[in-house]
Amino acid sequence: GKRFRSIHANAKFRQLHARNFYLCSDLPNKIRLQKMKRVEDPIQKAVVGVFRLLLRGAIIHHSRNEGNRGGIKGIIDGKRGKEMGVCAGYPDTVIHYEGGTFFVETKPDGKYLSKTQKEIRANLESQGFVYYVAHDALEARAIAKDIKRRIVR
């Protein structure tokens, strides 16, 4: 009956989420599928592109922290990731440039750091690292300029 439908709906949600879809109910008893918006992806690509262009010779690494499989496989992936050292809230990009290490979190306009991200930021800054938040390629350009300014030659 009702319990079975609820379990089935949850399983269906996990399957759809694994394919980057989610369930959205605007009206009671009506469920429709929508493609999840990965609004951060194009911003991340643009930001990394700016860093590659302006910070020649830098090692620029994107820390992929999201999962891409749902259901039991997603749970296994998450457990394995934690065991392997995945850290929730870790910045999107790490830049090693001329002896310095810098951290950059990419956020779309209007989005802010989560509580976990703020804790990671405070921890990194307390250890003497520099942490930036980039919302677009122009901010990435300013960040690259600041990184160059900070390098002691």
Side-chain angles (χ1 to χ4, degrees):
K2 199 173 203 177
R3 180 167 155 65
F4 174 78
R5 280 195 303 265
S6 175
I7 291 169
H8 179 71
N10 287 337
K12 191 69 175 169
F13 174 79
R14 284 193 299 275
Q15 288 171 355
L16 294 169
H17 185 68
R19 294 184 192 105
N20 294 328
F21 284 85
Y22 66 95
L23 297 173
C24 174
S25 56
D26 289 340
L27 304 169
N29 302 323
K30 181 173 181 175
I31 298 175
R32 51 172 210 194
L33 298 175
Q34 292 183 343
K35 184 82 170 148
M36 281 179 71
K37 294 177 182 157
R38 294 187 157 230
V39 294
E40 202 171 287
D41 287 5
I43 301 166
Q44 176 69 22
K45 290 175 186 176
V47 164
V48 168
V50 168
F51 293 147
R52 285 183 179 151
L53 182 67
L54 298 179
L55 300 173
R56 300 274 181 192
I59 296 171
I60 302 165
H61 173 74
H62 170 62
S63 298
R64 197 164 165 260
N65 212 0
E66 68 278 354
N68 55 0
R69 299 195 303 175
I72 192 70
K73 290 180 180 179
I75 293 168
I76 292 168
D77 289 348
K79 183 178 184 299
R80 181 174 176 266
K82 285 180 184 173
E83 290 170 351
M84 300 290 287
V86 171
C87 180
Y90 198 77
D92 295 317
T93 308
V94 180
I95 300 170
H96 302 285
Y97 183 68
E98 295 190 16
T101 299
F102 307 90
F103 297 90
V104 182
E105 177 63 31
T106 305
K107 287 287 180 198
D109 280 335
K111 298 291 182 180
Y112 303 97
L113 296 178
S114 69
K115 180 183 175 200
T116 307
Q117 288 171 323
K118 289 176 184 176
E119 290 168 358
I120 293 288
R121 179 182 194 164
N123 188 329
L124 289 168
E125 289 178 340
S126 74
Q127 295 181 49
F129 292 106
V130 181
Y131 186 110
Y132 301 96
V133 178
H135 294 93
D136 55 38
L138 286 175
E139 287 185 8
R141 184 171 185 245
I143 290 167
K145 188 175 181 180
D146 190 65
I147 288 172
K148 285 183 173 183
R149 181 187 62 79
R150 291 174 181 274
I151 297 300
V152 178
R153 297 200 167 142

